[in-house]
């Protein structure tokens, strides 16, 4: 018996297809899957266990790395996010050290100082801000960083940066500027005698700028079957003869918990901002913005799929429910399965479509799918 009325389905075969396609383009050893944010909402456990034995996974924070290890993963986990000095002081040292395969990122001198003073030093990646305006040392500080870590050279395993605009523009000008700054930083670090893995690219740069691939690429969105932007795909197709087939691997479904008849002139939902113009059959889905359905999709042309047909959302999306129009469906009944993302019959409703209705991007849709919804592996016949 199903107790959950809404769930997420993961096609692990499509995941492996994406992984193989990316390995073919980038080189197998360069693909470092990013499993932060619950594997972009797909479920970190399913994704971690479905992937082949990769050398390195990337997450944002330490607790996410610990989760991956709890699933039995034994490779390296790179924690990309910034940490507080307190991680390396007091409690952390008392409670025992981080597992040796968890590597941290330093992007500021406060944390770096704490690391230099710490008795136990987790392996470290030094991150430089070459133009993202977010985390990282200034490239001008490269000599100072190199000097600070000089006594602990063997613990420095990586030097990294991040692109701001690799997939959004047809001009490589800004990414090229970032690559030049990064190259200069790495030169300083190598001249100081450091030996490290150099990594700069996420999905967009990895696919579009071969010279950004370096030792490995931190691959998130494309592993999950999405192009960073439509522009990125167009650019890739222009540059290359063939485009890797990236397939979305996630579907989101829910059962209809009620089907009702409403007379003409009935309001639907909070704010009374929808009113039926004729007698209508509606259905209720046990899904709302709590579960990750964007409230911003209300009042747009948003629809879900039932029995292979588009069913428009009526009124505003509630916290735990939404109302759909099923007047055009023969025999629709409680227990029928609605598709909020994914394929039903001939129709396919992409996460990007939902993102467009909500005026956002696919990342923002999938990462918000609530972790309380079960993630199930799709069974292939
Ligand atoms: C999230 C993230 C990535 C992955 O980006 P995608 O565009 O999803 O491939 C890579 N590097 C850093 C630092 C990130 O935060």
């Amino acid at each position: 018996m199903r107790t959950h009325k809404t769930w997420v389905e993961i096609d692990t075969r499509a995941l492996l297809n994406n992984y193989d396609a990316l390995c073919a383009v980038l080189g197998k050893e360069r693909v470092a899957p990013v499993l932060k944010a619950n594997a972009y909402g797909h479920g970190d456990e399913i994704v971690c266990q479905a992937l082949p034995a990769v050398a390195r996974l990337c997450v944002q924070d330490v607790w996410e790395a610990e989760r991956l290890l709890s699933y039995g993963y034994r490779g390296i986990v790179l924690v990309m996010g910034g940490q507080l000095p307190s991680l390396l002081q007091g409690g952390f040292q008392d409670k025992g050290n981080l597992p040796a395969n968890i590597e941290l990122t330093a992007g500021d001198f406060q944390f770096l100082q704490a690391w230099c003073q710490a008795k136990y030093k987790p392996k470290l990646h030094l991150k430089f801000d070459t133009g993202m305006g977010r985390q990282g040392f200034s490239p001008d500080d490269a000599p100072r960083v190199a000097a600070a870590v000089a006594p602990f050279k063997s613990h420095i395993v990586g030097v990294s940066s991040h692109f701001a605009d690799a997939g959004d523009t047809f001009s490589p000008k800004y990414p090229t500027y970032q690559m030049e700054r990064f190259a200069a930083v790495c030169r300083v670090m190598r001249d100081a005698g450091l030996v490290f893995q150099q990594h700069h690219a996420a999905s967009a740069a990895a696919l579009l700028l071969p010279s950004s691939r370096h030792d490995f690429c931190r691959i998130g969105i494309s592993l999950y079957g999405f192009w960073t932007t439509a522009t990125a795909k167009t650019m890739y197709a222009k540059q290359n003869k063939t485009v890797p087939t990236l397939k979305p691997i996630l579907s989101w479904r829910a059962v209809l918990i009620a089907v009702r008849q409403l007379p003409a002139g009935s309001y639907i939902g909070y704010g009374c901002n929808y009113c039926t113009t004729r007698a209508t059959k509606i259905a209720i889905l046990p899904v709302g913005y709590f579960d990750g359905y964007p409230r911003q999709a209300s009042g747009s042309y948003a629809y879900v799929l039932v029995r292979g047909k588009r069913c428009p959302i009526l009124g505003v999306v509630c916290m735990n429910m939404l109302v759909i129009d099923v007047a055009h469906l023969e025999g629709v009944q409680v227990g029928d399965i609605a598709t909020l993302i994914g394929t039903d019959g001939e129709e396919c409703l992409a996460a990007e479509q939902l993102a467009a209705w909500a005026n956002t991007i696919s990342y923002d849709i999938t990462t918000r799918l609530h972790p309380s919804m079960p993630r199930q592996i799709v069974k292939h016949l």
Side-chain angles (χ1 to χ4, degrees), residues 34 36 40 60 80 127 134 162 201-204 218-222 228 363:
V34 178
K36 68 187 177 190
Y40 289 40
Q60 187 65 17
M80 303 182 294
K127 182 157 191 177
R134 199 172 69 175
H162 193 50
S203 294
R218 306 177 305 260
I219 300 295
I221 200 76
S222 53
T228 326
Y363 299 63

Side-chain angles (χ1 to χ4, degrees), residues 88 92-93 97-100 102 115 118-123:
L88 301 173
F92 165 64
Q93 302 273 339
N97 300 325
L98 277 186
I102 296 185
W115 182 84
K119 204 161 56 196
Y120 167 74
K121 296 190 200 321
K123 293 208 171 109

